């Protein structure tokens, strides 16, 4: 396909029709809001809370019973295909006496040799290695030796997002792999809501479920994403051509902005535009061309900065021009902001700015003529305000 025959509108429509919609991301849960959704320690703490039947949640041994049921079923299935693998009889484990998190292994001095969750009964002990966002690289043999040192019947569980391969320990035993999805599904099957369970703990439980389910978001939507990847590969040259033209169009608009400001005696100063003679600490700020094109709008603000912003009465300045320009078309004087860095004199916004009938640069120059060029323009009124109060730029 040659560039002179490349029809952007047509190509975008054709490619977009082929691409499925992006999978909808689940709504944020409490773990997301607190930014702890990937923190295994935090996840282990709430799991330990639910595993402990003596806590205040009212669910009793729901989590432990669900875990034990799953373990019994999975061991039975594994034994059929791997009869040489050893597991202790977890079905004989009775009630939990103690629940601990981050339990340091015997003789260990570093945190990496601590077990995420430890459940203990009268004569048994279970270690749960909880994996949320990392690959397994833990010293399971050390964990196992620590469990055996308690002189109780040991059992190890790898709680992971996805199924994990079976790895034998030195004495032939294994940590049993159970996925988070399997555990919460079994808990959901077994749960019985009673008056003893508070609304607060139902909320905690629901948010925990949502957090675990959110980790499977990418897995659930793999087919859709695979199709998007394939369609992009199949249309890669056309997409690249569109992106190239997008970048060139943005550069073109940026150059037109620079050209228009230059005609009114303003030059680029970092991200702003200011008078070439630097007479006042006054600056225009306009968003990048990409943002203007995305929103099909023109948005710019005129503000004081530097020494003048520190020396002037900012509240008086802002309120004066808030009222002064309040009735002017396209002025957004209710959105003015003041800080230690800058104080707005006015904000100008015009929607649907890019039109086929009129070029961007011509329309933009008309706006600058209105704001700067006219005898009683808003910019001249701001400059006169500073001049009357002897606020000039100091080099």
């Amino acid at each position: 396909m040659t560039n002179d025959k490349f029809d952007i509108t047509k190509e975008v429509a054709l490619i977009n029709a082929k691409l499925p919609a992006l999978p909808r991301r689940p709504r944020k849960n409490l773990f997301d809001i607190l930014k702890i959704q990937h923190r295994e320690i935090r996840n282990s703490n709430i799991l330990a809370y639910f595993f402990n039947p003596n806590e205040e949640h009212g669910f009793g041994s729901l989590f432990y019973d669900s875990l034990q049921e799953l373990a019994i079923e999975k061991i039975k299935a594994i034994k059929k295909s791997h009869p040489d693998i050893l597991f202790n009889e977890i079905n004989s484990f009775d009630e939990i006496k103690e629940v601990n998190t981050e339990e340091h292994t015997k003789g260990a001095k570093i945190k990496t040799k601590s077990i995420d969750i430890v459940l203990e009964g009268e004569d048994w002990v279970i270690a749960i290695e909880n994996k949320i966002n990392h690959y397994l690289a833990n010293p399971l043999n050390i964990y196992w030796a620590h469990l055996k040192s308690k002189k109780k019947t040991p059992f190890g569980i790898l709680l992971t997002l996805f199924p994990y391969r079976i790895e034998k320990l030195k004495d032939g035993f294994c940590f049993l792999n159970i996925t988070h999805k399997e555990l919460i599904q079994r808990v959901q099957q077994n749960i019985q809501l009673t008056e003893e369970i508070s609304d607060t703990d139902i909320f905690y439980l629901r948010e925990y479920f949502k957090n675990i389910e959110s980790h499977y978001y990418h897995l659930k939507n793999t087919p859709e994403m695979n199709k998007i990847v394939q369609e992009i590969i199949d249309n890669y040259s056309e997409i690249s051509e569109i992106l190239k033209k997008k970048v060139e169009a943005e550069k073109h608009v940026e150059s037109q902005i620079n050209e228009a400001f230059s005609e009114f005696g303003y030059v680029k100063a970092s991200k702003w535009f200011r008078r070439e003679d630097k007479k006042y600490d006054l600056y225009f700020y306009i968003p990048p061309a990409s943002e203007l094109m995305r929103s099909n709008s023109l948005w710019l603000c005129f503000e004081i900065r530097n020494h003048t912003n520190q020396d002037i009465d900012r509240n008086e300045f802002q309120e004066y021009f808030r009222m002064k320009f309040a009735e002017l078309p396209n002025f957004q004087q209710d959105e003015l902001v003041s800080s230690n860095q800058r104080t707005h004199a006015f904000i100008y916004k015009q929607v649907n700015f890019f039109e086929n009938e009129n070029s961007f640069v011509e329309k933009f120059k008309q706006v600058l003529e209105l704001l700067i060029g006219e005898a009683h323009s808003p910019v001249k009124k701001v400059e006169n305000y500073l001049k009357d109060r002897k606020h000039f730029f100091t080099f």
Side-chain angles (χ1 to χ4, degrees), residues 298-301 321-322 325-337 344-351:
L298 175 68
W299 183 98
L300 53 79
C301 65
F321 288 108
R322 189 191 305 277
F325 303 141
E327 303 302 321
L328 294 181
N330 299 316
F331 278 67
Q332 311 290 315
Q333 296 306 94
D334 290 337
E335 299 178 10
L336 301 184
V337 172
H344 291 151
F346 62 77
I347 294 175
Y348 181 92
K349 184 177 182 180
Q350 193 172 336
V351 297

Side-chain angles (χ1 to χ4, degrees), residues 275-287:
R275 279 177 53 149
E276 193 170 7
D277 61 10
K278 301 182 180 179
K279 190 172 182 179
Y280 302 100
D281 277 327
L282 288 169
Y283 294 77
F284 276 102
Y285 173 77
I286 183 170

Side-chain angles (χ1 to χ4, degrees), residues 62 65-67 69 185-193:
L62 171 65
D65 292 343
S66 299
L67 184 79
E69 287 178 12
Q185 286 178 343
R186 184 57 60 94
V187 169
Q188 288 170 332
Q189 291 173 14
N190 291 343
I191 191 170
Q192 294 182 357
L193 298 179

